[in-house]
Amino acid sequence: MMRHVLVAAAFVAMAGFAQAAEPLEGNWKTASGETAAITKCGSAYCVTLKTGKHAGKQIGKLAGTGGSYTGEITDPAADKTYSGSGTVSGNSLKMKGCVMKILCKTQTWTRL
């Protein structure tokens, strides 16, 4: 009987962790004040600017689950693409772009 209770408790805990994953999709205010939309596109997530000088431009593609994502990020002003990652925590998204995995820049975006 105790074994069944433990198994049931494990399933409930796993379901709770699955629901606790932070969603990446939505609208985000970038560090420069523009709005970026992150939407599902195939098996990944596309990052597209909605406002500002580069509105309509796709600036990234990330894949992953559970609040941690990796892929590519483009600096629209310089039109350069970097390996990137994003980590969601509540209403914050830490976006990081790196050159050769050693020179990195991080920005914090806020969910709108």
Side-chain angles (χ1 to χ4, degrees):
M1 178 68 172
M2 184 61 136
R3 181 175 166 193
H4 292 286
V5 171
L6 290 175
V7 171
F11 280 119
V12 169
M14 285 189 294
F17 288 130
Q19 290 177 344
E22 302 284 353
L24 179 64
E25 289 181 273
N27 292 319
W28 297 87
K29 182 176 182 180
T30 69
S32 62
E34 297 168 326
T35 299
I38 301 180
T39 58
K40 191 82 168 150
C41 58
S43 61
Y45 295 93
C46 291
V47 183
T48 305
L49 290 176
K50 292 178 69 177
T51 63
K53 181 179 177 182
H54 303 285
K57 183 170 185 168
Q58 182 178 318
I59 61 164
K61 195 173 228 182
L62 302 170
T65 58
S68 185
Y69 304 87
T70 59
E72 293 184 335
I73 302 293
T74 299
D75 174 356
D79 200 30
K80 294 193 183 220
T81 301
Y82 306 97
S83 61
S85 63
T87 306
V88 180
S89 178
N91 288 326
S92 293
L93 170 60
K94 288 204 184 285
M95 296 291 281
K96 183 163 120 176
C98 298
V99 176
M100 299 186 319
K101 297 184 180 184
I102 53 172
L103 300 172
C104 300
K105 183 177 179 183
T106 302
Q107 295 183 353
T108 300
W109 296 3
T110 305
R111 187 183 304 276
L112 296 175

